[in-house]
Amino acid sequence: MSSDARPGISGLTPDALVTWVEACGEPSYRARQIADAVWKDGGLTDPAGIRTLPETLRTNLADAFRFDTVDDTEIRLTDDDQTEKALHRLADGALSESVLMHYPARGASRERHTLCISSQAGCAVGCPFCATGELGPGRDLDVAEIVDQARHAQRRLAVTRQRLTNVVFMGMGEPLLNLDRVLAAVEALNDPRRFGLGARHITVSTSGVVPGIRRLTALGPQFTLAVSLHAARDALRDVLVPLNRRWPVAEVVDAARDHARATGRRITYEATMIGGVNDTDVDATAMADLLRGDHAHVNLIPMNPVAHTPWSASRMPVIERFAATLRDAGISTTIRRNRGQEVGAACGQLAAERAGEPPVPAVARRRERLEAESAAALRGERSHDPVPVGVGE
């Protein structure tokens, strides 16, 4: 739990803010003045700066709410300042990360500023190629802690009169294991009275939490659903995405397929390309067979270097051959370029760096285990390891 018991004000709905203002004996229009101060260009971090409010109300606000749930942020720049990696320290010492990526206008493409944000500090899923997986389970972020990552980025953009154009929930954590708060954060980001970002500019990613996907389908949201696929064969996906042992890949894709049919929105599938592990012709064919005919798009992403794994990124010619197999099957496919490798821009890398190096024998055992598990998976042998703790039913 946070060491500061005050909730973050950005987590309040407009109606809740009106109720609080009226309980203070103030007219309801004061809520609009407060909301403008919280949300315009990323908002203020201190209610003392809201000069349109009487002093008593400013004092009450400071006593009741935190105007920023981030205690401290370290920014690292790379790619000629086109990538900004932020490590956020929260009130209880937990760490979360966000990455702001700038894309200049090219041809018919408009200038974009995309923010990758976290929904948890740490992650229970434990994908071995992901730095967050090395941290293990942490805690869920609350609504304000999620949204304040976007407010923080918008304050930086506002200096040059720019605007955040896209938000993707692809940072630390599994969003569908913190679904209620993620949905509330999406609502805040989409609400024109608050952050005001169009729903189709928001992407929520999952590694395959099927009940969460089914719940999203029932709600009918218009944001983009992304699925971290990584492998189409169960034996290999058991290793790369351990919750596949609970929800096998066919079940995940069936849920995503139903979501696409119900919402009319194309599903995005992500595949981190690992040399000699999931980039074989057999894997390309398996993925093509799995997704053939679906309303889907596949992003192939070279693996970021992550400590304590025996793996490295696939070579580009191998990725291009993999992409060709998917395209030949009629599946829209893009090869993504990694951003910010030299500043640890992969999810969880800065937080893992802060956590310190584990003992050398532990690293050696981890590498040996992954080599053995991936070799067995390539032979088609399913994992007998349990579902990760914290993934739930």
Side-chain angles (χ1 to χ4, degrees):
M1 294 297 293
S2 171
S3 58
D4 188 335
R6 296 175 301 162
I9 195 164
S10 61
L12 263 66
T13 65
D15 288 346
L17 186 55
V18 168
T19 298
W20 182 85
V21 165
E22 291 177 340
C24 291
E26 297 285 345
S28 60
Y29 73 82
R30 295 294 189 194
R32 180 69 261 170
Q33 293 175 315
I34 296 168
D36 286 344
V38 170
W39 295 104
K40 182 176 173 56
D41 289 332
L44 300 176
T45 59
D46 187 342
I50 315 177
R51 294 302 177 183
T52 56
L53 301 181
E55 183 176 354
T56 301
L57 185 55
R58 295 200 301 267
T59 299
N60 288 343
L61 278 168
D63 290 341
F65 302 107
R66 287 176 289 159
F67 268 58
D68 192 357
T69 57
V70 177
D71 276 11
D72 183 52
T73 295
E74 174 190 335
I75 303 289
R76 295 189 187 180
L77 303 178
T78 187
D79 297 327
D80 294 325
D81 296 347
Q82 295 302 294
T83 301
E84 305 177 24
K85 181 64 180 280
L87 178 67
H88 308 290
R89 184 175 296 277
L90 307 178
D92 63 351
L95 299 174
S96 69
E97 298 180 7
S98 62
V99 183
L100 179 58
M101 294 164 284
H102 308 285
Y103 299 92
R106 285 199 183 97
S109 299
R110 297 180 179 180
E111 175 181 273
R112 290 180 294 123
H113 304 280
T114 297
L115 182 69
C116 178
I117 64 176
S118 298
S119 56
Q120 297 177 310
C123 185
V125 176
C127 300
F129 56 85
C130 174
T132 308
E134 294 183 345
L135 295 171
R139 69 167 176 85
D140 292 340
L141 301 186
D142 66 29
V143 177
E145 289 170 335
I146 296 171
V147 169
D148 284 353
Q149 297 168 67
R151 292 177 65 224
H152 194 284
Q154 183 54 51
R155 286 196 293 272
R156 300 187 333 252
L157 286 166
V159 173
T160 51
R161 298 185 178 181
Q162 295 172 310
R163 178 74 183 168
L164 197 62
T165 60
N166 300 81
V167 170
V168 296
F169 284 76
M170 294 183 181
M172 297 171 65
E174 165 52 62
L176 299 197
L177 292 180
N178 189 19
L179 184 52
D180 288 336
R181 293 184 179 98
V182 165
L183 288 173
V186 169
E187 183 180 354
L189 292 170
N190 178 230
D191 190 342
R193 298 168 295 175
R194 289 182 276 175
F195 200 84
L197 186 63
R200 297 194 175 205
H201 296 273
I202 300 171
T203 298
V204 176
S205 178
T206 179
S207 50
V209 180
V210 169
I213 297 173
R214 297 291 186 193
R215 183 175 165 198
L216 291 179
T217 303
L219 294 172
Q222 286 302 300
F223 57 76
T224 299
L225 176 66
V227 176
S228 297
L229 190 60
H230 305 305
R233 295 186 292 150
D234 277 320
L236 184 54
R237 199 167 187 268
D238 284 349
V239 176
L240 299 182
V241 187
L243 58 70
N244 193 74
R245 303 164 200 159
R246 173 63 184 85
W247 297 294
V249 66
E251 190 175 340
V252 173
V253 172
D254 279 347
R257 191 174 288 131
D258 289 345
H259 184 85
R261 291 193 189 108
T263 64
R265 301 285 291 149
R266 185 174 70 173
I267 303 297
T268 296
Y269 290 97
E270 311 282 344
T272 296
M273 303 305 292
I274 307 170
V277 176
N278 66 341
D279 60 356
T280 69
D281 291 341
V282 171
D283 287 290
T285 299
M287 192 173 293
D289 290 343
L290 181 66
L291 302 180
R292 194 186 308 272
D294 285 1
H295 189 33
H297 179 86
V298 175
N299 288 325
L300 303 178
I301 308 165
M303 184 185 114
N304 265 303
V306 176
H308 320 143
T309 73
W311 302 325
S312 59
S314 304
R315 293 181 297 109
M316 191 52 64
V318 175
I319 299 177
E320 289 171 349
R321 186 170 69 245
F322 197 108
T325 299
L326 297 180
R327 291 173 185 143
D328 287 346
I331 300 165
S332 173
T333 304
T334 300
I335 299 173
R336 296 290 186 193
R337 183 175 71 88
N338 279 331
R339 299 283 295 262
Q341 286 191 20
E342 62 267 36
V343 296
C347 301
Q349 281 187 312
L350 290 186
E353 179 182 303
R354 290 295 179 277
E357 288 290 323
V360 173
V363 173
R365 286 194 298 272
R366 174 184 170 85
R367 292 175 67 91
E368 290 173 2
R369 176 177 58 80
L370 289 175
E371 287 174 342
E373 288 179 351
S374 58
L378 290 172
R379 294 192 299 269
E381 299 173 15
R382 294 292 303 271
S383 173
H384 298 293
D385 289 343
V387 175
V389 175
V391 167
E393 296 298 314

